[in-house]
Amino acid sequence: MTGGVTFDVSVAHPARIYDYWLGGKDNFAADRVAAEEVLTVMPAMAQIARSVRLFLAAVVHHLAADVGIRQFLDIGTGLPTANNTHEVAQRAVPEARIVYVDNDPIVLLHAGALLTGTRPGRCAYVDADVRDPDRVLTEAGSLLDLTEPVAVMMLGLLHFIPDADDPYSLTRYYLDSLAPGSYLAISHASSDINTEPQRAAVERYNARSATPIVLRSKAEVARFFGGLDLVPPGITPLGQWAPGTAIPGPVGLPTYTALARKPAGPL
Ligand SMILES: C[S@@+](CC[C@H](N)C(=O)[O-])C[C@H]1O[C@@H](n2cnc3c(N)ncnc32)[C@H](O)[C@@H]1O
């Protein structure tokens, strides 16, 4: 227990494993063991984590600077690191408002570092599970105007939601609740790029982590975007969505990335 927040350090957790791959310090022995076991069979894992952060920065900058999006709902935020969503958005548009959501107590513990946005922009943090969309949207609605477009960021999140919890209906519910002109950004671990190292890595990850990963194919990832307009270049392997989103190293990183817009009318 730290600062009134309780968490179990004896079992590895996604936010802390990911923090280790990104070179952060907010992880414990169990997280480092799990992270290193994955690196043994997939040395590109640190490159993947860093490339996802470049994808995040590219998407947020594009939406804020080029599209005029002023509101971001970043679900599955992770531990604070370089170029958090509010920093990228508010560099382009100082009045941007960001709501962060995560269900891991250690992210809650460090959430203060995410709430540093300067006025006229604002930031808020919601300690909630993405599978509780009514609560997430209600709490987000105290900072965001949900009658105006919102960019929903679900990076590295949906592969933690098993089919039994119907992640497709879940993402649809979020988009149905938001205004036309809203956006959905996803990065998702893939089942059909570099199949063998990915399978071995996930087997090791799932043996250690409190929350297992579900790999999905390109067709399965495409289902998250049903009814939405994919922004070119569409669903791409990580590092190929925009120039500058690749970290030097192996190509064919087993993760898909995409951004799509909610059109006018029902989905
Ligand atoms: C791999 S990290 C991704 C962090 C960040 N979005 C990024 O891409 O750099 C996944 C995050 O999702 C969070 N997460 C996993 N399952 C969740 C759930 N059901 N509801 C909310 N957050 C969840 C984890 O706690 C972790 O912080």
Side-chain angles (χ1 to χ4, degrees), residues 85-227:
T85 295
H86 72 280
E87 292 162 333
V88 179
Q90 292 177 349
R91 263 200 299 274
V93 178
E95 66 267 30
R97 280 173 287 162
I98 293 89
V99 173
Y100 290 109
V101 182
D102 206 289
N103 69 343
D104 192 315
I106 198 168
V107 183
L108 172 64
L109 182 68
H110 291 274
L114 297 167
L115 305 179
T116 55
T118 49
R119 288 179 185 271
R122 302 266 307 275
C123 297
Y125 183 83
V126 179
D127 175 29
D129 194 301
V130 66
R131 289 166 290 192
D132 192 354
D134 288 328
R135 177 158 164 240
V136 169
L137 289 164
T138 300
E139 295 203 22
S142 49
L143 181 62
L144 308 181
D145 176 356
L146 301 186
T147 66
E148 293 290 322
V150 174
V152 182
M153 314 288 298
M154 293 187 175
L155 305 194
L157 172 70
L158 291 167
H159 47 230
F160 293 115
I161 310 299
D163 286 348
D165 289 343
D166 197 354
Y168 298 107
S169 297
L170 186 65
T171 46
R172 171 60 61 95
Y173 190 89
Y174 278 95
L175 269 294
D176 277 343
S177 308
L178 297 174
S182 291
Y183 282 80
L184 174 65
I186 287 178
S187 73
H188 195 299
S190 70
S191 61
D192 51 1
I193 303 172
N194 265 339
T195 312
E196 183 42 38
Q198 176 80 317
R199 192 201 54 73
V202 166
E203 196 175 289
R204 289 180 174 221
Y205 189 99
N206 289 354
R208 295 276 182 186
S209 173
T211 310
I213 282 183
V214 185
L215 299 176
R216 294 193 172 95
S217 66
K218 186 172 186 180
E220 289 167 327
V221 171
R223 280 186 62 196
F224 290 115
F225 297 102

